[in-house]
Amino acid sequence: MTLQYVATTCPYCGTGCSFNLVVQDGKVVGTAPYRRSPVNEGKVCPKGTYAHEFVNSPDRLTKPLIKKDGKFVEATWDEAYDLITEKFKSYKPDEFAALSSARVSNEENYLMMKFARGVMKSPHVDHCARLCHASTVAGLAASFGSGAMTNSIGDIAESECIFVLGSNTLEQHPLIGRKIVQAKQKGAKVICADPRYTPTARLADLYMPFVSGADVAILNCMMQEIIKNGWEDKEFVEKRTRDFEKLKEVVMKEDYSPENVSKISGIPAEQLRQAAEIFGTTKPGAILYSMGITQHTVGVDNVRSVANIQMLTGNLGKPGSGVNALRGQNNVQGACDMGALPVVFTGYQKVIDPAAYKKFADAWGFPDGIFEPKNGYEVTVMMDVLTDNPGELKCMYIMGENPMLSDPDLNHVREAIGNLEFLVVQDIFLTETAELADVVLPAACYAERGGTQTSTERRVQMWRKAQDPPGEAKEDWQIFCELAAKMGYAEQFPYQSLEDVFKEVAEVTPSYHGMTYERLERPEALHWPCPSLDHPGTPILHREKFSHPDGIGVFAPIEWKPPAEVPDEEYPFVLTTGRILWHWHTGSMTRRSETLDSEVPTGWIEINTEDAKELGIQNKEMVRVLTRRGSVEAPAKVTPDIMKGVMFMPFHFAECAANILTHNALDPIAKIPEFKACSVKVEKITEA
Ligand code: SF4
């Protein structure tokens, strides 16, 4: 029996761990440590350990499917392509929208973006970053000129003080959580603010439970205390930033005194003072945040407040410091970098910038031009347009996304997708969204392909092929090339390999200019920006100057605003949602992994012990959970580890889908929905 070991990177979270896929007789049969990775040094979390289990699932899509009389019928690739081509050609550019994928490679995100804007000439392309870190991209770009995690993962272990806000790092980015543990072992102080007493909170020297949605108030209060006590980094503020006086005017208001913020957040005033003192006086200090910060109607405000406190304390541009936005999916950073967003091309070059537009139009060489130079719709806006203005959008092409479980207010999403005339879904399983499609195209999974993905720390790493795709499934890049050829654009999609695509990406993207497959083959790979072939890459951003043209960081005076929906008599609790250690997003992969699924087979709602007592609810009892948008039934998990007045549901489980309940209220800039706070009630289920 000969076993082969193929080093690749994990298909789940944005940490970017590497492991070996173990291959026997041409099939992936296991995983094994890959110790040369500087990110995870041979360690992985449970999802990484069992990342082979879904690969050869009997549920994998193996042939194209065409829906006839409401039922899927197997088809040849030519039949599927012919139908798609006929339909795609029948729509005007603005009637078409594309959803790209944070799960596939950079190269394939680039091709989806090029297909939408070049072949279909539509401005509407987006992906699930809209649902997780769109506010990071917008907020950090406004503050620093670049919308990505400023430091590297290894750096976190060098920090003297780590403030975790809106992130359950130990469960959601476990191998980044390991760096918090390492820093703490070396003596670092850890502060954690979270409505739930999570494994991450248990690590903290100072744990502050708070009511979801109070982030800006807490950060303004801490900045007030830091300024009052003279703990700010005066030299940094003076030399590297502007608009400090405007910030001061807001944060020094009485509204943000510890006593007043205590009323908003539920954190005792003394703890707020203590947090400000620890963070203001211990250097270097890093902030780690994730979707607890971003998934709000004030997501951009939250991110800018995090940027404010890090500029105020001079915690930028050095090891152990930084604004560490922990990106969710394996390649959500890369999908953003590749311009799978409605306002930018690759490397965040704006579509409405005439020079950038001309550069891409010239580079791509479509004889009949590309899309009109205007911003397209965000995925959340696409869903609103589909329900509110039927007939404006008619056709959608979705690759590797499952909005029927991942988007807020699923009844609204179902109505929106139902209003499409023609839907193509390209995926590895028949997801809840694929079931609604007119044509389903079977794709290769991460173990069956090469290409690159960019982790949360901007590290661009390789996937490596370990087995062939099942049946007739194809790699996404091949599907794009073949479909583009059928649409009459073979010349614009001439690629023979993913490496050919990457060469084009590197040519048109300044931050990737210096990258080649040869350079990325090394275990340490490269962090962007890497502007030239002799550049070593950039693990820490903003060392000498920020990325704005003048090199200066910009403070933003931000006032606290409550969530769009606040508890009232009818819906008296705050519902917040999130991930758990054993599952990934909509569960399409982890729920097909025998081990992960048997560890945690279904969802639940977490209810504070006192609240449960008042409601007469017992642990494990099935309850009905209701918001203004719908209801689900789920077992209650009664625990003192969640704040009174707050409830939590994981969002992976279709049978008790938390997103039936969540609210599609959007941040006005980033158009990210407020997953992290809506009003909810819980009822006992009485026998009929
Ligand atoms: Fe994969 Fe993330 Fe776990 Fe690492 S921490 S093994 S990248 S899921």
Side-chain angles (χ1 to χ4, degrees):
M1 181 178 70
T2 318
L3 297 179
Q4 286 170 296
Y5 293 81
V6 179
T8 195
T9 43
C10 182
Y12 289 117
C13 90
T15 304
C17 298
S18 295
F19 50 73
N20 280 304
L21 283 170
V22 183
V23 183
Q24 186 185 353
D25 300 330
K27 290 277 175 217
V28 167
V29 294
T31 63
Y34 175 73
R35 295 193 174 80
R36 292 169 69 202
S37 163
V39 178
N40 58 313
E41 299 157 308
K43 313 274 190 293
V44 280
C45 77
K47 287 189 287 289
T49 307
Y50 301 108
H52 60 288
E53 286 191 352
F54 73 86
V55 170
N56 290 307
S57 159
D59 290 354
R60 284 290 302 277
L61 291 168
T62 56
K63 284 190 168 197
L65 302 173
I66 292 177
K67 199 174 269 168
K68 288 183 182 156
D69 301 325
K71 289 210 171 94
F72 282 120
V73 178
E74 288 184 355
T76 65
W77 278 98
D78 272 337
E79 284 165 347
Y81 285 150
D82 287 345
L83 176 60
I84 295 171
T85 306
E86 183 200 320
K87 287 290 197 178
F88 278 7
K89 283 186 172 173
S90 72
Y91 294 110
K92 296 189 189 110
D94 273 7
E95 293 172 343
F96 173 91
L99 291 188
S100 202
S101 175
R103 300 235 296 274
V104 310
S105 69
N106 287 324
E107 292 79 350
E108 286 149 332
N109 274 287
Y110 176 77
L111 292 184
M112 178 55 117
M113 185 273 287
K114 184 172 176 178
F115 189 91
R117 290 175 171 152
V119 174
M120 299 304 295
K121 324 231 178 278
S122 168
H124 307 310
V125 56
D126 201 8
H127 75 286
C128 69
R130 187 68 43 208
L131 309 176
C132 62
H133 273 280
S135 19
T136 295
V137 176
L140 294 188
S143 294
F144 304 151
S146 166
M149 176 166 166
T150 62
N151 285 51
S152 64
I153 292 170
D155 241 33
I156 294 166
E158 306 306 315
S159 187
E160 292 292 331
C161 182
I162 299 173
F163 182 14
V164 187
L165 180 62
S167 161
N168 176 8
T169 319
L170 254 71
E171 280 202 81
Q172 290 161 5
H173 297 88
L175 270 295
I176 297 181
R178 181 168 172 255
K179 298 294 167 192
I180 306 178
V181 174
Q182 287 173 348
K184 192 169 160 83
Q185 282 166 345
K186 290 196 272 179
K189 293 264 189 297
V190 179
I191 307 168
C192 178
D194 197 307
R196 301 168 66 221
Y197 190 49
T198 62
T200 315
R202 282 168 220 270
L203 267 185
D205 298 281
L206 175 61
Y207 165 55
M208 304 189 291
F210 76 104
V211 182
S212 188
D215 309 80
V216 165
I218 294 166
L219 290 162
N220 278 356
C221 174
M222 286 174 67
M223 286 189 269
Q224 182 180 110
E225 283 295 301
I226 287 168
I227 295 169
K228 254 200 232 162
N229 289 287
W231 296 323
E232 75 272 29
D233 186 331
K234 294 181 183 66
E235 194 185 338
F236 190 94
V237 169
E238 192 192 326
K239 294 198 173 139
R240 300 218 29 207
T241 70
R242 67 178 156 84
D243 294 343
F244 173 60
E245 290 305 320
K246 288 185 193 164
L247 174 87
K248 210 168 147 188
E249 214 173 287
V250 168
V251 302
M252 297 311 283
K253 284 183 181 173
E254 183 54 24
D255 297 1
Y256 302 113
S257 69
E259 281 68 25
N260 281 331
V261 171
S262 179
K263 287 180 206 146
I264 297 170
S265 65
I267 302 172
E270 207 31 58
Q271 277 195 0
L272 288 163
R273 287 197 178 88
Q274 211 185 334
E277 177 166 3
I278 297 171
F279 198 71
T281 59
T282 319
K283 302 284 176 64
I287 294 190
L288 272 55
Y289 77 77
S290 193
M291 296 189 287
I293 279 286
T294 57
Q295 288 179 333
H296 287 279
T297 45
V298 292
V300 173
D301 285 356
N302 286 348
V303 169
R304 295 214 68 183
S305 294
V306 172
N308 282 342
I309 195 169
Q310 288 304 66
M311 287 191 284
L312 183 70
T313 51
N315 274 315
L316 285 158
K318 357 180 141 86
S321 70
V323 174
N324 298 289
L326 309 182
R327 306 295 300 256
Q329 303 247 36
N330 55 320
N331 197 31
V332 68
Q333 181 66 54
C336 292
D337 296 349
M338 293 302 108
L341 295 169
V343 298
V344 288
F345 293 109
T346 65
Y348 308 93
Q349 301 168 80
K350 291 190 169 62
V351 296
I352 53 167
D353 170 6
Y357 181 85
K358 183 173 183 317
K359 169 177 155 180
F360 279 84
D362 290 351
W364 289 347
F366 284 88
D368 48 352
I370 59 172
F371 72 120
E372 260 184 65
K374 63 179 184 184
N375 293 334
Y377 288 146
E378 298 82 1
V379 53
T380 41
V381 175
M382 289 175 198
M383 298 300 167
D384 284 344
V385 168
L386 278 164
T387 53
D388 301 350
N389 198 8
E392 186 183 332
L393 280 177
K394 293 182 176 163
C395 169
M396 208 178 240
Y397 185 6
I398 300 178
M399 166 174 66
E401 289 229 338
N402 190 9
M404 274 306 302
L405 260 194
S406 61
D407 288 21
D409 191 357
L410 292 181
N411 290 328
H412 173 245
V413 178
R414 181 176 288 279
E415 186 193 342
I417 291 183
N419 284 346
L420 284 166
E421 286 181 6
F422 189 65
L423 172 64
V424 178
V425 172
Q426 188 165 306
D427 213 316
I428 61 173
F429 292 114
L430 194 68
T431 62
E432 288 75 7
T433 306
E435 279 172 12
L436 303 179
D438 296 285
V439 182
V440 177
L441 301 177
C445 80
Y446 81 104
E448 297 149 0
R449 55 167 67 212
T452 60
Q453 58 172 354
T454 305
S455 71
T456 186
E457 58 174 345
R458 297 169 284 103
R459 195 191 292 263
V460 184
Q461 305 185 99
M462 305 292 297
W463 267 336
R464 294 178 189 86
K465 182 172 176 166
Q467 69 167 42
D468 288 330
E472 296 173 21
K474 296 185 187 214
E475 294 182 44
D476 295 288
W477 72 273
Q478 291 170 320
I479 300 173
F480 285 122
C481 291
E482 290 170 2
L483 197 51
K486 290 266 185 187
M487 295 284 294
Y489 297 102
E491 223 178 281
Q492 285 69 38
F493 282 69
Y495 318 104
Q496 297 302 310
S497 66
L498 282 162
E499 188 168 8
D500 287 349
V501 184
F502 191 81
K503 283 179 187 160
E504 186 173 312
V505 169
E507 244 173 68
V508 294
T509 314
S511 52
Y512 281 62
H513 268 344
M515 295 187 189
T516 62
Y517 270 23
E518 198 188 341
R519 295 190 75 194
L520 297 177
E521 274 294 341
R522 301 173 308 181
E524 63 277 22
L526 286 164
H527 297 257
W528 67 254
C530 177
S532 59
L533 286 171
D534 57 357
H535 193 284
T538 313
I540 300 179
L541 295 177
H542 317 309
R543 275 186 183 273
E544 308 294 332
K545 57 187 174 102
F546 289 99
S547 309
H548 285 303
D550 62 1
I552 297 293
V554 184
F555 280 112
I558 308 279
E559 297 277 10
W560 173 75
K561 295 181 209 86
E565 204 177 55
V566 289
D568 57 18
E569 246 175 62
E570 199 183 350
Y571 295 95
F573 299 96
V574 176
L575 176 72
T576 184
T577 65
R579 295 197 298 257
I580 60 169
L581 177 63
W582 299 90
H583 281 287
W584 189 248
H585 281 228
T586 66
S588 58
M589 298 186 289
T590 51
R591 297 199 80 189
R592 287 181 174 89
S593 159
E594 212 184 315
T595 312
L596 299 174
D597 199 47
S598 67
E599 283 292 334
V600 182
T602 192
W604 63 86
I605 178 159
E606 256 175 54
I607 305 177
N608 170 274
T609 315
E610 284 179 47
D611 289 334
K613 199 170 164 200
E614 282 165 24
L615 293 164
I617 288 169
Q618 308 292 320
N619 192 32
K620 298 191 180 166
E621 179 182 344
M622 282 301 283
V623 294
R624 187 170 297 118
V625 190
L626 302 98
T627 66
R628 290 183 174 85
R629 292 154 291 283
S631 70
V632 297
E633 292 180 5
K637 182 173 176 184
V638 176
T639 170
D641 291 343
I642 188 162
M643 254 188 116
K644 189 167 160 41
V646 181
M647 297 186 179
F648 167 83
M649 286 184 83
F651 61 80
H652 315 292
F653 304 97
E655 66 278 17
C656 48
N659 282 327
I660 286 181
L661 306 167
T662 48
H663 196 191
N664 193 30
L666 304 180
D667 179 287
I669 298 169
K671 307 285 192 242
I672 192 169
E674 190 145 62
F675 286 109
K676 285 293 188 270
C678 70
S679 302
V680 67
K681 65 178 165 187
V682 171
E683 292 174 351
K684 284 176 84 69
I685 298 174
T686 46
E687 297 290 324

